[in-house]
Amino acid sequence: MPGDRVVWMATGAYAEYTACPAEKAIKVPSSIPEKHAAAAILQGLTALTLVREAHKVEKGDHVLVHAAAGGVGLWLCQILKAIGATTIGTASTAEKCQLALDNGADHMIDYSKDSVPEKVKEICGSGGVKVVFDGVGKSTFEGSMEAVGRKGSMISFGNASGAVPPVTIAYFSHLSLLHFQVWARGC
Ligand SMILES: NC(=O)c1ccc[n+]([C@@H]2O[C@H](COP(=O)([O-])OP(=O)(O)OC[C@H]3O[C@@H](n4cnc5c(N)ncnc54)[C@H](OP(=O)(O)O)[C@@H]3O)[C@@H](O)[C@H]2O)c1
């Protein structure tokens, strides 16, 4: 209806004014501020599809979330708390660690001080996590592979630190991963 507040997502949406097909516009309920609606359409839906479709997280699962104080990371912390999973987050500063804890993370690793795979083993025991959600890419890829447990999943959905260098199929053969997935434009 004319005057409705709406969100939509597409190439060309990052602009002050834009035209969009009416059927692609999603009405924003009056209780939701515009900045929350704008964040939800990309970062929130990404987080939701990661935990529902890329790897269906169950209550009690241990989950490693890189950049837990970033946009997608903060959504993941909240959704995983609602599911009843145990979230281990990573961040670069004490302030960011506190922000993620305030949003539902159960454990935080300040990676500027501690080794992520070692801390994950301390928290989970030798088994590692059920799933890693890695939106950081180049700087975290190998640590993610060390942190994931037997028959777990590694979901690579972004490259905030740069692209992961090419790997061969043989790289995966010494791991007991069940599932490696690149989640590209998942929502
Ligand atoms: N596949 C999809 O559908 C999809 C959808 C949305 C976003 N993404 C991707 O997911 C990633 C995260 O998105 P976001 O919206 O959460 O981003 P964001 O809010 O900008 O957070 C990114 C975080 O990455 C960490 N980081 C580590 N190394 C970094 C570096 N060299 N430069 C910049 N940041 C670095 C930072 O946290 P620390 O300081 O704590 O390390 C930063 O807060 C991006 O690569 C984005 O393109 C993918």
Side-chain angles (χ1 to χ4, degrees):
M1 297 286 291
D4 280 350
R5 296 182 313 146
V6 299
V7 288
W8 81 303
M9 182 169 56
T11 304
Y14 190 45
E16 189 176 1
Y17 295 99
T18 184
C20 82
E23 70 273 14
K24 301 265 181 183
I26 302 166
K27 188 175 174 185
V28 178
S30 59
S31 58
I32 297 183
E34 274 149 31
K35 64 181 182 182
H36 291 182
I41 190 71
L42 176 60
Q43 294 173 329
L45 281 182
T46 297
L48 195 60
T49 57
L50 286 171
V51 305
R52 289 265 174 85
E53 296 171 37
H55 176 104
K56 187 159 173 29
V57 178
E58 307 284 356
K59 186 175 179 178
D61 285 348
H62 279 90
V63 181
L64 177 61
V65 176
H66 284 297
V72 176
L74 288 173
W75 283 95
L76 281 171
C77 290
Q78 294 169 71
I79 294 169
L80 291 166
K81 175 58 77 182
I83 291 171
T86 299
T87 300
I88 305 168
T90 72
S92 58
T93 65
E95 292 74 20
K96 286 186 171 189
C97 287
Q98 190 56 53
L99 180 63
L101 290 167
D102 292 345
N103 278 270
D106 298 284
H107 307 270
M108 283 301 296
I109 303 169
D110 179 340
Y111 69 81
S112 69
K113 295 189 178 142
D114 290 310
S115 150
V116 173
E118 279 174 23
K119 280 279 166 192
V120 166
K121 278 184 187 129
E122 273 177 42
I123 295 164
C124 302
S126 56
V129 295
K130 192 84 182 172
V131 54
V132 183
F133 293 118
D134 188 341
V136 175
K138 186 176 181 181
S139 65
T140 50
F141 182 77
E142 289 198 5
S144 294
M145 290 302 196
E146 283 181 55
V148 69
R150 188 165 176 269
K151 298 187 180 177
S153 297
M154 157 64 175
I155 312 296
S156 173
F157 70 94
N159 294 291
S161 68
V164 177
V167 291
T168 61
I169 296 291
Y171 172 85
F172 296 96
S173 63
H174 72 286
L175 301 165
S176 50
L177 267 184
L178 182 65
H179 183 206
F180 173 79
Q181 188 174 137
V182 177
W183 193 247
R185 302 195 67 179
C187 63

